[in-house]
């Protein structure tokens, strides 16, 4: 078992590594899909805004989608990491088994306990973060063209 600062490092790497790739990939997928839909739709009153890729709705909705998908992938590792760091168990597999056992043998219930609360924080943070990123990127791009 790992001690001190290293306790839970494996689960932390699994929680941060794979889901961050999924987060950015999901954002780009959603953004490209919504841009294409807006172009095909041509309705300026749509929730997506105008048919351009710099509308407010596209990065907000794409960021919300990305957070949901990324945390759906990474949340079990977050739960496992927290349990390991609290000193309750020995490793990733043992901790996962313990969580499933505590939920009566139901893996989804055991590994996603508290998932809704995580999304309550993660969805707005991701939506706003990607909106700000797109806004700043567009602003800087416009200044560079001048």
């Amino acid at each position: 078992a790992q001690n001190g600062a290293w306790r839970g490092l494996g689960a932390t790497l699994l929680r941060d590594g794979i889901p961050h790739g999924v987060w950015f990939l999901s954002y780009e997928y959603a953004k490209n899909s919504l841009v294409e839909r807006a172009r095909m739709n041509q309705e300026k009153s749509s929730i997506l805004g105008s048919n351009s890729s710099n509308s407010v709705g596209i990065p907000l909705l794409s960021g919300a989608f990305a957070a949901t998908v990324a945390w759906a992938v990474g949340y079990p590792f977050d739960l496992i990491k927290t349990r390991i760091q609290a000193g309750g168990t020995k490793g990733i597999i043992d901790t996962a088994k313990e969580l499933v056992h505590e939920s009566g043998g139901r893996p989804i219930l055991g590994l996603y306990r508290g998932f809704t609360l995580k999304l309550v924080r993660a969805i707005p943070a991701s939506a706003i973060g990607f909106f700000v990123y797109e806004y700043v990127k567009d602003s800087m791009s416009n200044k560079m063209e001048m």
Side-chain angles (χ1 to χ4, degrees), residues 95-140:
T95 305
K97 287 178 182 177
E98 183 179 296
L99 288 167
V100 171
H101 177 73
E102 289 173 3
S103 68
R106 297 174 297 210
I108 300 297
L109 185 62
L111 297 174
Y112 285 89
R113 184 180 321 154
F115 184 60
T116 303
L117 288 175
K118 178 64 80 175
L119 291 181
V120 166
R121 179 201 65 83
I123 288 174
S126 181
I128 292 167
F130 277 115
F131 170 76
V132 169
Y133 164 76
E134 294 290 350
Y135 178 81
V136 170
K137 183 180 83 170
D138 289 345
S139 295
M140 290 177 69

Side-chain angles (χ1 to χ4, degrees), residues 10 26 42 50 52-53 70 90 108:
S26 298
Q42 298 289 325
S50 70
S52 68
S53 63
K90 295 182 179 174
I108 300 297

Side-chain angles (χ1 to χ4, degrees), residues 15-65:
R15 179 204 63 183
D16 289 341
I18 297 167
H20 275 85
V22 169
W23 187 44
F24 287 109
L25 184 66
S26 298
Y27 175 75
E28 285 299 319
Y29 170 79
K31 179 178 134 183
N32 291 336
S33 296
L34 291 173
V35 166
E36 184 61 30
R37 176 170 280 198
R39 283 189 186 130
M40 290 174 63
N41 204 0
Q42 298 289 325
E43 287 185 22
K44 294 188 181 205
S45 64
S46 165
I47 189 171
L48 300 177
S50 70
N51 63 353
S52 68
S53 63
N54 61 0
S55 74
V56 172
I58 290 174
L60 289 174
L61 291 172
S62 299
F65 175 78

Side-chain angles (χ1 to χ4, degrees), residues 141-146:
S141 177
N142 290 339
K143 289 187 189 245
M144 302 272 266
E145 291 174 2
M146 293 178 153

